[in-house]
Amino acid sequence: MSHELNFRRSDFPPDWSDDIRMNFLFSSFRERCVNPEGYDAKLNFWISTIQDMCMKSQCPVISNPALCSAFERKKRQPMCLYTVLENMSRQGLIMKMSDFNKIEQEKGWLGWGFDILIQKPVSWGFSSVQNFLNFNKLDDEFLLVPVIKDLATKLLIQLL
């Protein structure tokens, strides 16, 4: 079940207007050993852009198809976002929606919000390894953990 991301064009990074740069950023990833600096720069661009755009729009739910559609530029979609999402999962920046729903059912919203703000990073590391092992569907929906943490913090501040 993919949804639509509504990013404002004014929020896109400055590189967005550079056709040559964007052709590189939209292309598929090559092996990292071919050009480690270029690989890392491309990966960091997309991770940063996804996080920034989702933080600004306060939308924590992402998927590969929704991101490809939202980042469409001159009738082209990025060919590299699956690799970006894999890396974000390994880093603990995203979690599968199905895993979040399990947490929600077990603890409830407030309990989950408290746990996510207090819990040690080790548990997220374990979760990212588990997500990596199960990371195989292009159309899975994911939650962007930094956006969820930000929204949970705002909610807790309002409740206090």
Side-chain angles (χ1 to χ4, degrees):
M1 177 182 185
S2 190
H3 64 283
E4 189 175 320
L5 297 169
N6 294 314
F7 297 149
R8 293 187 312 226
R9 290 290 174 209
S10 61
D11 289 336
F12 280 72
D15 287 344
W16 209 257
S17 60
D18 182 345
D19 288 340
I20 295 171
R21 176 89 174 127
M22 293 312 297
N23 281 337
F24 165 71
L25 292 170
F26 269 50
S27 65
S28 298
F29 278 93
R30 294 185 182 165
E31 291 296 321
R32 188 175 184 280
C33 62
V34 173
N35 180 359
E37 293 84 16
Y39 186 100
D40 292 345
K42 180 190 284 194
L43 184 63
N44 291 334
F45 169 85
W46 283 113
I47 290 173
S48 174
T49 300
I50 290 168
Q51 289 186 108
D52 289 346
M53 299 299 284
C54 289
M55 193 71 77
K56 288 175 182 174
S57 66
Q58 296 190 338
C59 181
V61 181
I62 60 173
S63 67
N64 190 52
L67 288 170
C68 285
S69 179
F71 289 127
E72 186 170 314
R73 180 182 183 275
K74 297 189 177 186
K75 299 183 181 180
R76 287 187 59 214
Q77 293 184 348
M79 302 298 295
C80 56
L81 295 184
Y82 181 74
T83 302
V84 174
L85 291 174
E86 278 184 318
N87 276 275
M88 291 177 77
S89 178
R90 275 190 229 126
Q91 294 176 35
L93 296 172
I94 60 174
M95 67 185 298
K96 285 185 177 185
M97 180 68 93
S98 57
D99 292 338
F100 172 78
N101 288 335
K102 289 177 193 170
I103 293 170
E104 179 189 49
Q105 291 170 1
E106 293 171 6
K107 298 181 181 179
W109 276 98
L110 194 55
W112 180 83
F114 180 77
D115 285 350
I116 197 169
L117 292 172
I118 306 254
Q119 210 171 27
K120 292 182 180 180
V122 174
S123 65
W124 286 112
F126 176 75
S127 176
S128 67
V129 170
Q130 189 176 26
N131 283 342
F132 173 68
L133 295 174
N134 295 326
F135 198 96
N136 56 9
K137 292 185 180 175
L138 284 173
D139 58 349
D140 278 346
E141 286 191 326
F142 301 92
L143 286 171
L144 200 53
V145 175
V147 178
I148 288 289
K149 285 183 178 181
D150 182 63
L151 293 173
T153 301
K154 289 176 183 175
L155 177 64
L156 286 174
I157 288 171
Q158 287 181 351
L159 293 174
L160 300 176

